[in-house]
Amino acid sequence: MGFLKGKDFLKLLDFTPSEIEKLIDIAIDYKLKKQNGIFHDDYKGKNIALIFEKTSTRTRCSFEVAAHDLGMHVTYLDPTGSQIGKKESIADTARVLSSIYDGIEYRGYGQEIVEELAKYSKVPVWNGLTNEFHPTQILADFMTIKEQFGTLKGIKLVYMGDARYNMGNSLMVGCAKMGMEFVACAPKKYFPNKDLIDTCEEIAKQTGAKLSFIESVDEAVKGANVIYTDVWVSMGEADSVWEERIEELTPYRVTTSVMEKADKNAVFMHCLPAFHDLKTVIGKEINKKFGITEMEVTDEVFESERSIVFREAENRMHTIKAVMASTL
């Protein structure tokens, strides 16, 4: 039985620092068991549903492998495989699925959708990503930081680029909760929402965290332990949006020069996928339209020894396993 039995996992704002720390420690334990071939299929007979209104590589694979390792069965519902919000209301979907399954994951659009699913579900609901928050990613990020530095408290994390959406929001919340130093480094228009900043400032007063919002790259990255970025534009957005973001955020690209201005032991992190070369269809299209070969991070940094992005990606699975096991 998990220590958060029956609780939903919708956003980190809903959890205490000690609960977040415990989830990370459980994930580290699961990782050791996996590496040492120790079975941990304690949840045989459980069934979970994965609702993906937005497709994904890491989130889907992480949930499926984590569930299988725990002994559970999985039903994957892709954007065409569910009537959620189309023929069937979110409330009705929640009531139907929670009468069949022991847990429900949702990855898609507005936070209000996953919140409504949870409201009407009789079983735990887990947020695999919404426009506003991405809590399973932050757990994986913080697990990776703890592995790298041995602690979270006092670590300085600089998020470079567009900090207005799920990654900037969630990293700011996570850092506030865990007593870390969070810096959003971007033009002012790309800073997080003021209401969320105010909420995090109140949390920071209790935890000793520090939040800063800085336009100067040189000032922001000084003494940073972690330099973090994400893609600047979501797929499907208009060319005019791409053009604007590329123009305004290129000064915030993570380069070797940026990394050298951070702490000598600083690492680079990215939630992936990253536009760092021309080895993808999208990369080639962007190059053809806008003449750039890399966007938010240079290939040199992405492939460097300072980059821990693939360990970070693996840790999605271990932390998702901890979330499911702790709430079921």
Side-chain angles (χ1 to χ4, degrees):
M1 184 186 296
F3 79 104
L4 297 172
K5 181 172 166 50
K7 187 163 183 175
D8 302 306
F9 190 77
L10 308 179
K11 57 188 183 299
L12 290 183
L13 285 168
D14 300 334
F15 295 86
T16 66
S18 62
E19 287 171 336
I20 295 168
E21 190 86 51
K22 188 167 182 179
L23 284 168
I24 292 168
D25 288 342
I26 290 169
I28 290 170
D29 183 58
Y30 273 133
K31 185 173 183 176
L32 285 170
K33 285 178 176 170
K34 178 94 170 171
Q35 289 173 337
N36 290 300
I38 300 169
F39 287 103
H40 42 282
D41 50 352
D42 304 318
Y43 290 80
K44 287 178 179 175
K46 298 287 187 185
N47 295 280
I48 65 167
L50 307 179
I51 303 171
F52 275 67
E53 291 197 293
K54 281 185 179 179
T55 55
S56 163
T57 301
R58 278 151 301 284
T59 303
R60 177 182 177 178
C61 294
S62 295
F63 267 100
E64 289 198 352
V65 174
H68 293 150
D69 281 356
L70 291 170
M72 299 191 287
H73 294 284
V74 177
T75 301
Y76 173 74
L77 300 168
D78 69 13
T80 63
S82 162
Q83 298 298 340
I84 184 170
K86 297 188 282 285
K87 286 185 179 179
E88 190 163 50
S89 71
I90 293 160
D92 288 357
T93 301
R95 288 182 283 198
V96 169
L97 292 181
S98 66
S99 68
I100 300 170
Y101 293 95
D102 300 289
I104 302 167
E105 179 270 355
Y106 172 83
R107 178 185 175 93
Y109 298 95
Q111 181 72 14
E112 70 276 3
I113 298 174
V114 77
E115 298 276 354
E116 189 172 359
L117 272 173
K119 179 180 177 182
Y120 289 97
S121 172
K122 296 180 292 187
V123 300
V125 172
W126 309 301
N127 180 359
L129 172 140
T130 62
N131 294 338
E132 293 84 0
F133 295 110
H134 198 0
T136 61
Q137 178 67 54
I138 306 312
L139 278 187
D141 295 340
F142 284 9
M143 175 183 172
T144 311
I145 292 168
K146 189 170 182 178
E147 286 177 332
Q148 185 73 19
F149 297 104
T151 185
L152 293 173
K153 195 86 170 172
I155 292 292
K156 179 177 179 179
L157 184 150
V158 179
Y159 183 83
M160 298 187 64
D162 192 345
R164 298 172 296 175
Y165 301 116
N166 47 35
M167 284 310 303
N169 288 347
S170 297
L171 283 166
M172 179 172 66
V173 170
C175 287
K177 287 276 184 180
M178 304 313 292
M180 298 165 66
E181 183 175 354
F182 172 82
V183 180
C185 181
K188 279 182 184 173
K189 66 183 277 189
Y190 293 99
F191 291 162
N193 171 277
K194 185 181 182 302
D195 288 344
L196 186 61
I197 290 174
D198 290 344
T199 298
C200 290
E201 291 281 14
E202 287 302 310
I203 296 167
K205 288 176 185 176
Q206 308 299 318
T207 64
K210 182 181 177 185
L211 310 178
S212 304
F213 307 90
I214 299 172
E215 292 187 85
S216 163
V217 174
D218 288 359
E219 182 186 347
V221 303
K222 188 177 180 182
N225 305 108
V226 178
I227 304 291
Y228 200 119
T229 194
D230 188 12
V231 291
W232 296 337
V233 189
S234 295
M235 299 306 143
E237 293 194 77
D239 281 359
S240 59
V241 174
W242 283 90
E243 197 169 356
E244 177 187 58
R245 303 264 173 86
I246 289 167
E247 181 182 341
E248 294 177 347
L249 294 175
T250 293
Y252 298 89
R253 175 183 289 151
V254 181
T255 63
T256 298
S257 172
V258 168
M259 295 302 298
E260 286 173 349
K261 289 168 185 169
D263 183 82
K264 61 182 175 62
N265 295 316
V267 294
F268 171 72
M269 299 180 72
H270 192 304
C271 54
L272 302 182
F275 176 33
H276 62 98
D277 58 26
L278 299 180
K279 296 176 182 175
T280 63
V281 171
I282 298 294
K284 288 171 184 169
E285 287 177 3
I286 296 168
N287 173 253
K288 189 175 180 181
K289 286 179 182 175
F290 304 107
I292 59 173
T293 58
E294 48 207 357
M295 193 159 57
E296 72 279 6
V297 59
T298 63
D299 193 57
E300 185 176 36
V301 170
F302 189 87
E303 297 292 352
S304 72
E305 288 185 0
R306 287 189 165 198
S307 175
I308 57 173
V309 297
F310 295 110
R311 175 149 52 99
E312 178 187 1
E314 177 197 338
N315 286 342
R316 289 295 305 285
M317 189 259 292
H318 304 300
T319 47
I320 283 169
K321 193 180 293 183
V323 167
M324 292 194 296
S326 297
T327 54
L328 288 175

